[in-house]
């Protein structure tokens, strides 16, 4: 039988590069599409010589022609530092990019997975967050380009499914971490690890009591693959993340201990619209995908710290 070809947009990014690697191990042909706005060739350099791997430098806000069997749409800056740097292009990537990829999926009659985000819930008024919750999002704030862009992308996916019959899979990814995160991406795990390894003050915004849930990259990749393997009757959205919840102070203390750092904790004002609590209810994913995270925070942080220690 002909090998299936999988298109991964944002394949040079943190999650995308791990997904490309896993797909190659499972004997798929992989086409990686990235404009390298936040992705890096270093993330996929070890794949460039693989006979089943192809790299296309392309921005999905422009139409793309390809012959593939499935699409993982992961393209979009995902950290506040990067998506706020060019908010107009962030919104275009979410919305116009979704239209272009959905059009390709419609033409080829293939399944397409959308990597949405926990940011669609905004600063939630319910806890933990379930998929039925419609969110509490500021539509004109500094984070809106990403939050509302991803919400609009979900709308497009479900409308293409209802109106055109496209086989869609929508997942809402909560905080994910691991090797190949960018040192300067502004996310809390990479920030704390880099500051600790350099012996710098660890910057905590607010009083440090705000919470997040952290999923290790290997667990997330497994969830994405299980979602794509579902039949056309399964659309989502599904929350994907680790429901174990930690305060920023707990995270900082753990990273200081694991790195043996002498860093001090310093406090700064909380950024605008920054969520106070974030924890996924993953009941749907557990029941339908038979998935739940296997790697605890301390184990995953040790692997992530070893990676950053090697690249800094």
């Amino acid at each position: 039988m002909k090998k299936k070809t999988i298109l991964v947009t944002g394949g040079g990014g943190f999650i995308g590069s791990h997904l490309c690697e896993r797909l190659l191990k499972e004997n798929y042909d992989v086409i990686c599409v990235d404009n390298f706005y936040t992705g890096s060739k270093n993330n996929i350099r070890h794949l460039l010589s693989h006979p089943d791997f192809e790299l296309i430098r392309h921005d999905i806000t422009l139409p793309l022609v390809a012959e593939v069997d499935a699409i993982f749409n992961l393209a979009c800056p995902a950290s506040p530092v990067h998506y706020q740097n060019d908010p107009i292009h962030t919104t275009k990537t979410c919305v116009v990019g979704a239209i272009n990829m959905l059009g390709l999926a419609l033409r080829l009659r293939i399944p397409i997975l959308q990597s949405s985000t926990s940011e669609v819930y905004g600063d939630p008024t319910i806890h933990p967050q379930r998929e039925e919750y419609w969110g509490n999002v500021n539509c004109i704030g500094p984070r809106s380009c990403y939050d509302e862009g991803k919400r609009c992308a979900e709308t497009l996916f479900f409308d293409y499914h209802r109106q055109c019959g496209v086989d869609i899979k929508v997942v809402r990814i909560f905080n994910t971490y691991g090797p190949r995160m960018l040192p300067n991406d502004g996310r809390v795990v990479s920030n704390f690890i880099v500051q600790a390894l350099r012996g710098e003050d660890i910057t905590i915004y607010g009083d440090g009591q705000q919470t997040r849930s952290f999923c290790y990259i290997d667990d997330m990749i497994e969830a994405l693959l299980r979602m794509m393997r579902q039949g056309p009757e399964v659309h989502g959205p599904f929350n994907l993340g680790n429901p174990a919840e930690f305060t920023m102070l707990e995270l900082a203390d753990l990273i200081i201990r694991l790195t043996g750092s002498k860093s001090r904790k310093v406090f700064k004002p909380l950024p605008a619209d920054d969520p106070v609590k974030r924890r996924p209810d993953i009941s749907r994913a557990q029941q339908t995908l038979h998935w739940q995270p296997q790697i605890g925070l301390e184990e995953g942080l040790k692997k992530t710290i070893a990676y950053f220690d090697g690249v800094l």
Side-chain angles (χ1 to χ4, degrees):
M1 293 178 63
K2 177 181 176 292
K3 285 174 64 173
K4 288 189 175 182
T5 301
I6 311 298
L7 175 66
V8 181
T9 72
F14 162 51
I15 296 179
S17 62
H18 284 276
L19 178 60
C20 288
E21 192 173 59
R22 175 72 181 272
L23 289 167
L24 289 170
K25 287 180 180 177
E26 299 204 1
N27 202 34
Y28 292 102
D29 284 333
V30 176
I31 299 177
C32 166
V33 172
D34 207 302
N35 66 354
F36 296 110
Y37 177 62
T38 57
S40 171
K41 273 192 177 179
N42 289 331
N43 288 341
I44 55 171
R45 196 173 300 280
H46 63 296
L47 304 178
L48 294 176
S49 60
H50 196 293
D52 299 331
F53 182 79
E54 181 180 352
L55 170 63
I56 299 176
R57 186 168 193 140
H58 182 82
D59 188 322
I60 65 164
T61 62
L62 302 172
L64 176 69
V65 177
E67 301 299 323
V68 296
D69 298 292
I71 301 170
F72 287 87
N73 187 37
L74 274 59
C76 188
S79 72
V81 169
H82 293 135
Y83 66 63
Q84 291 175 14
N85 185 55
D86 189 347
I88 294 173
H89 193 265
T90 296
T91 304
K92 289 175 67 177
T93 301
C94 291
V95 178
V96 180
I99 291 170
N100 286 333
M101 291 303 104
L102 284 162
L104 180 60
L106 173 60
R107 179 178 72 82
L108 298 174
R109 291 292 173 185
I110 59 172
I112 178 170
L113 181 144
Q114 166 68 2
S115 63
S116 191
T117 171
S118 59
E119 299 298 335
V120 300
Y121 299 120
D123 188 4
T125 57
I126 67 165
H127 192 74
Q129 292 78 60
R130 296 180 58 85
E131 291 88 349
E132 295 87 353
Y133 177 52
W134 290 356
N136 177 39
V137 179
N138 178 1
C139 66
I140 58 171
R143 301 169 67 101
S144 304
C145 58
Y146 185 69
D147 301 0
E148 294 287 38
K150 288 290 191 177
R151 286 163 69 95
C152 185
E154 287 197 18
T155 300
L156 285 163
F157 266 71
F158 277 88
D159 284 340
Y160 266 78
H161 167 67
R162 286 185 287 254
Q163 185 172 333
C164 307
V166 175
D167 180 3
I168 63 166
K169 319 287 182 189
V170 176
V171 295
R172 294 172 177 166
I173 296 177
F174 283 66
N175 290 59
T176 304
Y177 71 100
R180 300 185 200 147
M181 296 182 79
L182 292 173
N184 62 342
D185 71 357
R187 299 190 213 188
V188 65
V189 171
S190 53
N191 273 3
F192 284 5
I193 290 175
V194 169
Q195 289 171 336
L197 289 174
R198 289 176 172 166
E200 300 170 352
D201 291 341
I202 289 184
T203 306
I204 296 176
Y205 295 98
D207 60 5
Q209 293 302 318
Q210 65 270 35
T211 67
R212 295 291 185 272
S213 303
F214 303 101
C215 184
Y216 189 67
I217 183 63
D218 291 356
D219 285 328
M220 182 57 62
I221 296 304
E222 178 64 27
L224 295 178
L225 291 175
R226 291 191 185 201
M227 184 64 176
M228 181 60 89
R229 289 169 181 152
Q230 299 303 304
E233 72 283 355
V234 177
H235 316 122
F238 288 166
N239 289 336
L240 299 182
N242 193 322
E245 186 177 10
F246 298 87
T247 68
M248 297 302 93
L249 285 174
E250 289 173 329
L251 177 67
D253 289 338
L254 180 55
I255 288 174
I256 289 172
R257 176 170 66 82
L258 293 176
T259 57
S261 176
K262 303 297 184 184
S263 295
R264 299 179 304 115
K265 292 172 286 188
V266 297
F267 296 83
K268 293 187 177 181
L270 197 65
D273 301 330
D274 197 51
V276 176
K277 288 186 177 292
R278 184 59 58 72
R279 176 162 68 94
D281 182 316
I282 61 169
S283 301
R284 283 190 185 181
Q286 289 173 317
Q287 293 165 7
T288 304
L289 308 182
H290 307 292
W291 170 87
Q292 64 181 26
Q294 302 297 312
I295 299 174
L297 182 60
E298 183 164 339
E299 179 185 354
L301 283 177
K302 287 178 180 178
K303 297 178 182 181
T304 310
I305 289 166
Y307 167 79
F308 277 110
D309 198 27
V311 300
L312 290 179

